[in-house]
Amino acid sequence: MSSEKGTPLQSETSTFHAPSEPLAAHSSERTTQNFSVIGKRNLKYDWHAKLTGAAKYTDDLRLPRMIYGRLLRSPHPHARILRIDVSRARAMSGVFAVLTGKDLPIRYGILPSSQDETAMALEKVRYVGEAVAAVAAVDEWTAEEACNAIEVVYEPLQPVMSIDEALDPDSEKIHDWTKHANIQKNVLLEFGDLDEGFAEADRVFEDEYFFEGNTHVPMENHAALANWEPTGKVTVWSSTQTPHYLHRELARVLDLPPSRIRVIAPPVGGGFGGKSEAFSHELVAPVLSRLSGRPVLISLSREEVFYCHRGRHPVRMWIRTGVKSDGTITALDFKSTLDGGAYGSYGIATTYYTGALNTLPYRVPRYRFEGRRVFTNKPPCGPKRGHGTVQPRFAIEAHLDRIAGELGHDPAEMRKGMLVSPFSWTVNHLRVTSCGLPEAIDAVLERSGWREKHGHLPQGKGIGLACSVYLSGAGLPIYWNPMPHSGAQIKIDRGGGVTVYCGTSDIGQDSDSMLAYVVAEELGVDIGDIHLVTGDTSLAPVDLGSYSSRVTFMAGNAARQAASKLRAQLFQVAAARLDVPEARLGAAGGMIYDLEDTERQIPFAQAAQLAEAEFGTLGETGSYTPPKLAGPYKGSGVGPSPAYSFTCAVAEVDVDLETGILSIQKIWVAHDLGRALNPVVCEGQIEGGVYMGWAEAVIEEQVFRKGLHKQPSLLEYKIPTSLDMPDVDTTIIESIDPEGPFGAKEVGQGPLAPVIPAIANAVYDATGIRIDSTPIMADKVLRAIEMRRKQHAAAV
Amino acid sequence: MLRLNRFSYVAPGDLDGALALMEKHGQDAMLMAGGTDLLVNIKQRLATPALVVGIRELPELQGYSLDRGWLTLGASTRLCDIEHDPRIRMMYPALSDAAGLISAPQVRTVATLGGNICLDTRCNYYNQSQEWRRAIGFCMKKDSPICRVAPGGDRCWAVASADTVPVLISLRAETTVVGPSGIRRVPVESLYQDDGLVPLTLRFGEIVSSVHIPPPDTWTTEYAKFRLRQSFDFPLVGIAASVRRDPDGNIADARVVMTAVASYPERASGAESVLRGKPLSEESITTAGHAVFRQAKPMDNTAGSIFHRKRMARVLVERSLRHIAGLPERDARTA
Amino acid sequence: MKELFRLNVNGEDTDVAFEPYKTLLEVLREDLDLTGTKHGCELGECGACTVLLDGRPVMSCLYLAVEAQNKRIETVEGLADRGVPSALQTAFARTGGAQCGYCTPGVLMSATALLRENTHPSRDEIKEALAGNLCRCTGYIKIFDAVELAAVEITGPES
Ligand SMILES: Cc1cc2nc3c(=O)[nH]c(=O)nc-3n(C[C@H](O)[C@H](O)[C@H](O)COP(=O)(O)OP(=O)(O)OC[C@H]3O[C@@H](n4cnc5c(N)ncnc54)[C@H](O)[C@@H]3O)c2cc1C
Ligand code: SF4
Ligand code: FES
Ligand code: FES
């Protein structure tokens, strides 16, 4: 592995100084407020459907006369397509349609700056598993035979399989437009005078780290069902986290007005970032449907899902930090190189994310970040839970652990002394509002018995700590536009039923429940009276999608705004009827009542009828647009968020020094999520995040051999079983964010990140060995132990 | 959805019926017991039988009986029964342990002992979809002359991966094999040969009908398995160790069998001879561990690294023997 | 060619035509419209397809439907009694044992089989019983909690 240090980069440079005006700490939510729904351990909105088998996921849908699509995929990591002959396939009985790349040549890509994919490969294939042709047939057996009957002649090219190969100027170019070797993008950001910072430092530390790639593995494989109606309208049901973006990409690639396309996201069986952009099968299914005059279902196999990927980038990192003797940072210099796979995907955003949040949660007065992303002949990488921030967090927190050790400080106390203050700005112009990290650190220290354990456990046993930070929604949309990020509509019927329309896609994070809780609280009705229409681009207003932990903050605020407008109308008529000033009214349990004399009340449904008589049909909209937070420099769009969540984790491990096998005794985690709208759901998100972080730390890796994914199956790509899962102790910290809905921030992604460095740091505490790359597998640990033993033997 | 290829299915009423079907259809037909290995292979198009002959319900393959200390189990005995049946667990705890470490609970309710004995060898260039294998250019075990693990060589190194087999061998178990030319009794050990392509010595159409295990007498047996997850995973190394001690505590005989390090279940002969005639002590155990370390030569065609699997083979054999000897677990911290 | 078979699913005898090479998973989902049973691999590697056969959990993706004749087949659709969820289902709702819900039908079937045999499973026994059901959302903890809660709901706290 070559050093990251000193590699010159051509890139856009920006120098920028942080705004100096202080932020006022103001809270619109009273912590003590009495809620009837919020904060209660309510059942999830869709509990019945999800526990009885009634929930219909995409692959469960059946349309009359439905047929089946299948994609033929590239067997080469890198090759030119010389010829495709589909005539035999087309002539087979039971085959309705066959397509190749030429039939859908319009380029697309989730980021406006990287429009580099086509629905199926055109002149070149760039990874094993890239779609090359598609068929629609009467059943899946025939579709498979038809794919086998398609002849493709390839001219294999030298594959580029690693960062080093991609940086080599002599490597084969994957995309002909890259200027230097296979480098897609270089970025350089500099804030403050680093030389000054290092000069001021008492000590300077430098380290290198590598984070291995891994992937999402939602239990539901991707699937799309398309129905092209003779009228020219097309409906696509898809297992997607981002129905709105899929809608846009479909319009582009199918060259159709968006007004003719409807995207529906049925319940999604897990996403974790892997279903956040358009995939070949989603773009191809509608065309197969048009050509065959039948609804077409394409349901991917598990192996194909590994080829869709868009998961965690492998990242090589270099870090240099100047510190005072108490550990406080005087300057931070950070470089990352991302192995992006074959296409852009979200990768430019990911590249920026490997730098953007490194100025949190510790004070960093001067900061420099160089990032670059390279292309390789592997499935494209993209966003996985914690998008781009997980890799640098591993590096920074392991690095700080070493610094604390060498300076003779307790790693927890040292961190506590350098935290950013709530309601402050960072040097790279991130606005911090609420921050409950001090409380989170104290909680895990207390609960884990940190003070008695750290540095005091016997050889082979150890404990480690790390902190992290994440966004509650990206401050900017994927494509630039001034419109809201989330919209909601609410209609109230005469019987008191409340219907909420919102374009969110529920991927298991309970965004549907969140909408129901927020609206039920605001209107004072029972959750059972709420009806939801979500994940449908024709029936519901736009929500940008389930990514960047944005839904609670943004859709929650939009829904709350719509509900509060209706609440005002209802209160107006109720006040008149009860002869009480509006300000004295409350709403809960299906009643609107006088706060001072709760016996004075009127049922919600009656108020709704009065209001309808007064104002006409009851319906309101709400929207949410984040405040403009981006700093005045290029690349500042990545990082700002209306609020940040903060996490602290402690892991206790037991390392078997004979086998290298790690057993995680327990993980303690405390997460500042603003407010828990439902503690059960929040704990579930935290536990799920801890699980995924721990798995990335010790067992999961996406590796390639001879140009192929080595293990595209659930047997060989190791996701943990019930017997592997360690014990987790979860603490929820509520900092009540002034701008979040009822004070809520995010909980879906943040808790993953600190678990990985906490484990690495615990391994050090147990063995005195620093493992500087993930996953920290037994094999790696044992090699390090043997190496040290040999060195000791040699030294004697 | 991954589909099976289009085949016909027959479940004959008795063993003769099954033999006759196999004889009639030849290589187009395949035997299926629980199907938990065969159906996977069919879905990956490693096999594409025209006829599947279901043998799990054959009356001759059922049953449990004890005769002069020998336990006879029908080939259709399910792994979950071997795992849980208190009679089996009492006599052969290592066999129950091995069965319980196979795959997942929902597989063990269906998978059979006979199927585990006849499990095909495995390789991560081979146990892949048809598309994946096409991309790598196939391999010697199916559709190509080249082995992807050792491309220069002329053999297949696919790995014997069954968990019960090493235990059965260490227990000196035998099988009854029924074929077109009659019935024979074959030691489990003799069912295998060092060939990844054709790992079984069974002749085409022969059926393993039952397994016979001699009385445990004074043998003590342990099975230890290394894998990356605590469920689902095939062994990356498995060690069955059996020891018989004479009255003065010396080892009269030892049988140590390794799985997942070669194309057949391999006797750790070096370790066995090191142990024979010695007391089961720190010293003899360490020496046996070294012998296993030297002998185990896994190839790079499973999960995990060769480096680690070789070391795990040593640790597993040492820990099993220590357990048998009643020695305390070695303090790993000073290792 | 399709042939007609009789299967007993959730207590009902059903005549259904299918090919001999169809798995029980495929027949349930495609020929009987019981899509509650899920699939994540079709190779016995995830447990999403778990159903009960004569009370024992099996991977329906590795089981030929023809071989399920004369056996009692139970799927997630059969757990609720005329719309009233079982104690286990209710416990899952209360502890948050289902997030995306995709592994849930399989998990419920494995756990149902466990609770019928063992009314007070320890946490380790629960982990063993669910070792063939991968879940990617929950980290399993709330699933374990649900099974424990259901055990108490069904038979009361262990005395
Ligand atoms: C996810 C997964 C994980 C697994 N993990 C393990 C593991 O950890 N350890 C392990 O050992 N196995 C494992 N297996 C493999 C398999 O489940 C077991 O080996 C099982 O015991 C096979 O038995 P069966 O009855 O299902 O075999 P089948 O699939 O029916 O048969 C296997 C082979 O044996 C032949 N055969 C079966 N019975 C006979 C007989 N009586 N006479 C002659 N030939 C016969 C068949 O023709 C076929 O070729 C795993 C399988 C899966 C799907
Ligand atoms: S060892 Fe070689 S020939 Fe045998 S299965 Fe593996 S790649 Fe194929
Ligand atoms: S679908 Fe059957 S185990 Fe995965
Ligand atoms: S709840 Fe989503 S996989 Fe288990």
Side-chain angles (χ1 to χ4, degrees):
Chain A
M1 197 186 289
S2 76
S3 169
E4 288 305 308
K5 205 187 149 193
T7 357
L9 299 176
Q10 286 92 358
S11 44
E12 307 115 15
T13 308
S14 315
T15 308
F16 171 77
H17 295 281
S20 48
E21 74 272 21
L23 278 165
H26 58 92
S27 179
S28 63
E29 300 289 348
R30 278 167 296 134
T31 348
T32 50
Q33 196 169 337
N34 274 327
F35 294 119
S36 57
V37 178
I38 294 301
K40 303 281 186 295
R41 302 180 85 85
N42 284 302
L43 302 191
K44 64 197 270 158
Y45 173 77
D46 50 355
W47 70 272
H48 196 270
K50 290 213 165 144
L51 288 164
T52 56
K56 294 279 183 200
Y57 299 78
T58 303
D59 184 60
D60 300 335
L61 301 173
R62 306 277 176 264
L63 290 180
R65 304 172 71 243
M66 181 175 97
I67 60 173
Y68 297 85
R70 184 182 172 105
L71 294 162
L72 176 69
R73 293 177 182 272
S74 166
H76 295 286
H78 200 187
R80 233 181 290 286
I81 299 174
L82 300 181
R83 196 164 56 79
I84 306 184
D85 183 353
V86 300
S87 54
R88 280 207 306 134
R90 203 164 262 158
M92 286 170 64
S93 100
V95 173
F96 285 74
V98 184
L99 291 171
T100 67
K102 292 203 183 76
D103 299 306
L104 281 168
I106 298 175
R107 286 185 193 278
Y108 70 96
I110 185 71
L111 301 184
S113 53
S114 35
Q115 302 285 305
D116 59 358
E117 294 189 64
T118 48
M120 289 168 286
L122 281 175
E123 70 284 358
K124 254 177 102 169
V125 289
R126 296 182 172 89
Y127 61 95
V128 172
E130 182 168 7
V132 172
V135 303
V138 62
D139 57 36
E140 289 192 331
W141 287 268
T142 312
E144 180 187 335
E145 284 155 8
C147 281
N148 286 338
I150 297 173
E151 273 171 56
V152 189
V153 181
Y154 295 98
E155 177 197 333
L157 301 169
Q158 189 60 40
V160 178
M161 297 304 293
S162 68
I163 289 176
D164 284 330
E165 284 171 37
L167 292 174
D168 180 350
D170 295 329
S171 63
E172 186 80 40
K173 284 217 171 171
I174 296 172
H175 294 274
D176 52 19
W177 55 263
T178 52
K179 282 206 209 85
H180 303 280
N182 278 298
I183 298 172
Q184 177 195 6
K185 177 85 176 172
N186 285 316
V187 301
L188 178 84
L189 299 171
E190 196 163 344
F191 306 94
D193 183 342
L194 257 77
D195 292 342
E196 180 189 271
F198 284 116
E200 222 175 74
D202 296 326
R203 294 275 301 271
V204 175
F205 292 86
E206 193 179 314
D207 279 310
E208 286 184 40
Y209 296 93
F210 178 69
F211 199 102
E212 182 57 281
N214 55 55
T215 194
H216 321 85
V217 197
M219 290 318 299
E220 180 209 21
N221 291 334
H222 301 228
L225 167 63
N227 189 25
W228 195 295
E229 293 165 28
T231 55
K233 285 186 177 152
V234 59
T235 305
V236 178
W237 290 261
S238 184
S239 175
T240 179
Q241 301 177 233
T242 50
H244 172 65
Y245 292 145
L246 177 58
H247 189 203
R248 282 172 48 85
E249 311 271 11
L250 279 166
R252 181 184 170 98
V253 175
L254 303 182
D255 200 15
L256 266 187
S259 56
R260 300 296 163 91
I261 303 172
R262 176 176 178 191
V263 174
I264 300 175
V268 175
F272 314 109
K275 299 173 175 171
S276 311
E277 59 197 286
F279 292 91
S280 302
H281 63 283
E282 292 167 309
L283 301 168
V284 156
V287 185
L288 291 173
S289 174
R290 176 167 61 80
L291 293 176
S292 55
R294 298 282 197 96
V296 173
L297 173 68
I298 305 184
S299 185
L300 300 191
S301 70
R302 178 55 64 183
E303 181 175 350
E304 290 177 287
V305 174
F306 280 99
Y307 299 144
C308 290
H309 188 45
R310 321 282 156 156
R312 189 85 71 218
H313 286 71
V315 183
R316 193 192 278 174
M317 295 165 283
W318 172 85
I319 180 171
R320 185 158 177 259
T321 311
V323 293
K324 300 299 262 183
S325 56
D326 63 358
T328 47
I329 296 169
T330 59
L332 174 60
D333 197 356
F334 192 88
K335 293 183 192 178
S336 62
T337 303
L338 291 78
D339 177 346
Y343 291 98
S345 179
Y346 280 83
I348 292 177
T350 321
T351 307
Y352 278 112
Y353 272 127
T354 63
L357 300 193
N358 297 350
T359 52
L360 286 171
Y362 314 108
R363 292 187 305 273
V364 176
R366 302 167 194 87
Y367 177 52
R368 204 168 80 102
F369 164 64
E370 284 182 51
R372 64 183 164 184
R373 185 175 191 264
V374 299
F375 288 124
T376 52
N377 290 114
K378 299 188 266 191
C381 298
K384 183 184 171 195
R385 206 173 198 171
H387 191 188
T389 69
V390 171
Q391 300 96 325
R393 187 51 53 193
F394 164 64
I396 290 171
E397 298 292 321
H399 180 69
L400 284 179
D401 200 66
R402 182 166 86 83
I403 293 176
E406 298 209 9
L407 296 179
H409 298 308
D410 177 84
E413 295 305 326
M414 187 184 92
R415 282 175 170 84
K416 278 170 71 178
M418 39 202 275
L419 299 179
V420 297
S421 318
F423 303 97
S424 63
W425 294 89
T426 70
V427 69
N428 59 337
H429 206 276
L430 303 181
R431 184 197 69 164
V432 178
T433 55
S434 58
C435 173
L437 188 54
E439 295 83 348
I441 297 176
D442 285 340
V444 292
L445 292 185
E446 177 75 22
R447 298 184 69 81
S448 66
W450 170 269
R451 288 182 185 90
E452 298 77 63
K453 290 177 180 165
H454 184 254
H456 303 304
L457 294 173
Q459 169 83 324
K461 291 185 187 295
I463 191 163
L465 171 142
C467 300
S468 72
V469 54
Y470 199 65
L471 326 165
S472 305
L476 279 91
I478 296 292
Y479 64 101
W480 193 87
N481 74 82
M483 291 175 280
H485 290 213
S486 203
Q489 256 173 313
I490 303 179
K491 171 208 122 204
I492 300 179
D493 66 48
R494 291 176 185 182
V498 177
T499 309
V500 185
Y501 304 81
C502 185
T504 47
S505 166
D506 195 321
I507 59 173
Q509 88 279 44
D510 277 313
S511 59
D512 277 2
S513 299
M514 182 278 299
L515 290 171
Y517 302 152
V518 165
V519 173
E521 180 67 48
E522 195 66 23
L523 294 176
V525 298
D526 191 273
I527 298 167
D529 291 326
I530 305 272
H531 307 266
L532 296 180
V533 177
T534 57
D536 186 320
T537 60
S538 290
L539 298 187
V542 166
D543 172 82
L544 293 181
S546 291
Y547 67 95
S548 82
S549 274
R550 51 174 298 290
V551 178
T552 293
F553 208 96
M554 302 198 184
N557 269 326
R560 190 177 183 198
Q561 187 185 69
S564 70
K565 289 182 192 169
L566 286 161
R567 177 182 160 116
Q569 294 178 359
L570 294 165
F571 275 25
Q572 192 181 326
V573 293
R577 173 59 61 102
L578 297 173
D579 197 18
V580 175
E582 275 173 52
R584 238 172 64 193
L585 289 179
M591 290 288 172
I592 296 172
Y593 56 90
D594 179 357
L595 290 167
E596 288 173 13
D597 172 10
T598 50
E599 293 300 300
R600 262 173 112 156
Q601 56 181 26
I602 162 176
F604 177 82
Q606 195 187 337
Q609 290 172 9
L610 293 172
E612 187 174 336
E614 179 77 21
F615 306 112
T617 304
L618 292 182
E620 281 295 349
T621 62
S623 2
Y624 178 80
T625 313
K628 298 234 170 329
L629 292 169
Y633 63 92
K634 186 149 194 251
S636 67
V638 171
S641 172
Y644 297 93
S645 75
F646 297 90
T647 321
C648 183
V650 163
E652 188 174 339
V653 306
D654 201 337
V655 182
D656 182 331
L657 299 176
E658 249 186 327
T659 64
I661 293 172
L662 284 187
S663 36
I664 312 282
Q665 300 301 305
K666 193 165 183 161
I667 296 170
W668 293 263
V669 60
H671 180 72
D672 164 22
L673 44 61
R675 184 193 295 281
L677 299 182
N678 178 342
V680 181
V681 170
C682 295
E683 289 157 12
Q685 287 300 313
I686 294 170
E687 289 163 5
V690 169
Y691 149 92
M692 203 169 257
W694 152 73
E696 292 190 27
V698 304
I699 185 166
E700 288 185 29
E701 57 177 350
Q702 169 127 310
V703 287
F704 292 79
R705 180 178 64 183
K706 304 192 184 185
L708 273 83
H709 194 301
K710 190 174 169 189
Q711 68 277 65
S713 71
L714 292 184
L715 184 59
E716 294 303 334
Y717 181 94
K718 306 294 182 188
I719 76 171
T721 73
S722 61
L723 288 172
D724 302 299
M725 181 67 196
D727 221 6
V728 178
D729 176 277
T730 300
T731 307
I732 289 174
I733 306 289
E734 297 196 312
S735 59
I736 315 301
D737 190 77
E739 294 175 25
F742 299 102
K745 301 192 286 191
E746 80 89 39
V747 65
Q749 306 195 55
L752 183 152
V755 175
I756 302 165
I759 290 173
N761 296 342
V763 169
Y764 174 76
D765 190 44
T767 63
I769 291 172
R770 292 212 182 267
I771 304 287
D772 55 9
S773 65
T774 66
I776 304 171
M777 284 192 150
D779 162 79
K780 208 181 265 179
V781 174
L782 189 60
R783 278 178 209 266
I785 292 171
E786 284 202 4
M787 172 92 81
R788 184 178 58 182
R789 203 176 291 142
K790 275 190 198 131
Q791 282 163 353
H792 280 188
V796 179
Chain B
M1 192 104 81
L2 291 177
R3 304 289 181 169
L4 294 163
N5 76 303
R6 299 180 170 107
F7 55 69
S8 318
Y9 172 87
V10 183
D14 59 20
L15 194 49
D16 284 343
L19 295 174
L21 276 168
M22 293 307 287
E23 192 150 16
K24 179 164 167 230
H25 292 273
Q27 303 286 347
D28 288 343
M30 290 190 83
L31 295 170
M32 182 173 104
T36 60
D37 182 44
L38 184 70
L39 294 178
V40 170
N41 292 349
I42 295 178
K43 288 189 180 188
Q44 297 189 321
R45 304 291 181 261
L46 294 165
T48 46
L51 175 71
V52 168
V53 179
I55 58 171
R56 183 179 36 198
E57 306 294 331
L58 293 180
E60 296 88 340
L61 270 55
Q62 316 301 319
Y64 166 99
S65 65
L66 260 180
D67 181 21
R68 271 160 295 175
W70 284 68
L71 173 68
T72 293
L73 293 172
S76 285
T77 308
R78 288 173 301 199
L79 296 181
C80 64
D81 293 332
I82 297 175
E83 177 187 4
H84 293 300
D85 190 316
R87 299 170 300 181
I88 303 177
R89 184 167 281 283
M90 210 176 66
M91 285 171 76
Y92 309 104
L95 182 63
S96 296
D97 288 346
L101 290 170
I102 289 174
S103 187
Q106 307 98 302
V107 168
R108 300 196 290 270
T109 52
V110 174
T112 66
L113 180 60
N116 197 240
I117 290 173
C118 300
L119 179 70
D120 195 5
T121 49
R122 299 181 59 82
C123 167
N124 60 20
Y125 288 92
Y126 174 72
N127 297 97
Q128 300 274 6
S129 70
Q130 186 170 35
E131 289 75 14
W132 194 97
R133 286 179 292 116
R134 186 179 292 138
I136 202 101
F138 297 106
C139 80
M140 193 188 288
K141 198 160 158 74
K142 187 159 170 47
D143 300 334
S144 155
I146 297 165
C147 167
R148 302 288 156 193
V149 179
D154 57 358
R155 63 160 289 177
C156 162
W157 296 93
V159 182
S161 304
D163 281 301
T164 65
V165 171
V167 180
L168 291 171
I169 294 175
S170 73
L171 295 173
R172 296 154 291 128
E174 299 174 3
T175 54
T176 296
V177 172
V178 187
S181 46
I183 300 185
R184 52 192 187 113
R185 183 131 166 166
V186 186
V188 173
E189 191 170 5
S190 310
L191 288 173
Y192 305 97
Q193 57 193 13
D194 186 9
D195 179 357
L197 288 186
V198 189
L200 292 174
T201 58
L202 288 179
R203 293 186 279 263
F204 180 80
E206 279 189 328
I207 294 175
V208 175
S209 66
S210 48
V211 179
H212 318 279
I213 315 173
D217 289 342
T218 51
W219 288 88
T220 319
T221 308
E222 290 264 328
Y223 181 66
K225 171 174 181 171
F226 169 56
R227 49 180 169 176
L228 296 182
R229 298 181 297 181
Q230 294 315 303
S231 181
F232 281 110
D233 290 0
F234 282 90
L236 301 178
V237 182
I239 301 276
S242 270
V243 185
R244 185 164 61 84
R245 275 180 282 186
D246 53 27
D248 55 13
N250 284 341
I251 302 164
D253 201 357
R255 294 170 69 90
V256 180
V257 189
M258 307 184 287
T259 192
V261 293
S263 293
Y264 67 113
E266 189 179 350
R267 290 280 292 274
S269 41
E272 290 177 357
S273 54
V274 161
L275 291 169
R276 275 188 207 109
K278 302 223 183 60
L280 204 48
S281 63
E282 294 273 358
E283 198 194 340
S284 65
I285 290 174
T286 308
T287 321
H290 279 295
V292 162
F293 178 79
R294 272 196 306 277
Q295 190 185 338
K297 296 207 168 53
M299 302 288 281
D300 187 15
N301 57 354
T302 68
S305 67
I306 294 175
F307 169 91
H308 200 221
R309 286 161 69 205
K310 268 181 86 71
R311 279 155 183 78
M312 288 308 295
R314 182 184 67 209
V315 173
L316 295 186
V317 81
E318 287 180 0
R319 289 188 180 173
S320 295
L321 291 172
R322 295 180 72 84
H323 196 238
I324 293 174
L327 289 169
E329 276 182 34
R330 182 187 296 164
D331 188 1
R333 330 222 164 279
T334 59
Chain C
M1 263 250 290
K2 284 189 183 179
E3 288 170 57
L4 195 63
F5 298 96
R6 173 159 298 179
L7 297 181
N8 182 286
V9 186
N10 298 326
E12 279 175 49
D13 275 337
T14 329
D15 292 337
V16 52
F18 56 84
E19 296 89 344
Y21 50 84
K22 281 196 101 171
T23 62
L24 181 56
L25 170 71
E26 291 162 347
V27 169
L28 289 169
R29 290 178 50 83
E30 296 163 3
D31 300 296
L32 291 169
D33 248 333
L34 292 168
T35 55
T37 302
K38 302 300 182 213
H39 59 109
C41 70
E42 301 102 70
L43 294 172
E45 300 170 357
C46 76
C49 63
T50 305
V51 302
L52 303 188
L53 272 190
D54 287 342
R56 294 182 191 245
V58 308
M59 309 281 200
S60 63
C61 69
L62 291 188
Y63 205 92
L64 290 184
V66 276
E67 294 195 332
Q69 297 173 92
N70 306 315
K71 291 190 163 29
R72 281 182 294 115
I73 304 164
E74 292 172 80
T75 71
V76 68
E77 287 91 346
L79 291 182
D81 183 9
R82 275 154 288 196
V84 181
S86 71
L88 183 67
Q89 289 170 306
T90 310
F92 266 74
R94 283 175 46 198
T95 66
Q99 287 186 20
C100 79
Y102 202 77
C103 69
T104 310
V107 171
L108 289 170
M109 298 321 286
S110 290
T112 297
L114 169 72
L115 290 177
R116 283 184 193 159
E117 280 201 354
N118 181 347
T119 49
H120 283 287
S122 66
R123 189 153 275 227
D124 283 341
E125 286 167 335
I126 295 170
K127 290 183 179 183
E128 284 287 346
L130 298 178
N133 294 89
L134 295 178
C135 172
R136 195 59 164 163
C137 298
T138 60
Y140 301 102
I141 292 168
K142 299 225 176 292
I143 293 178
F144 303 151
D145 291 347
V147 180
E148 280 174 359
L149 177 62
V152 175
E153 295 281 310
I154 294 167
T155 52
E158 197 164 17
S159 44

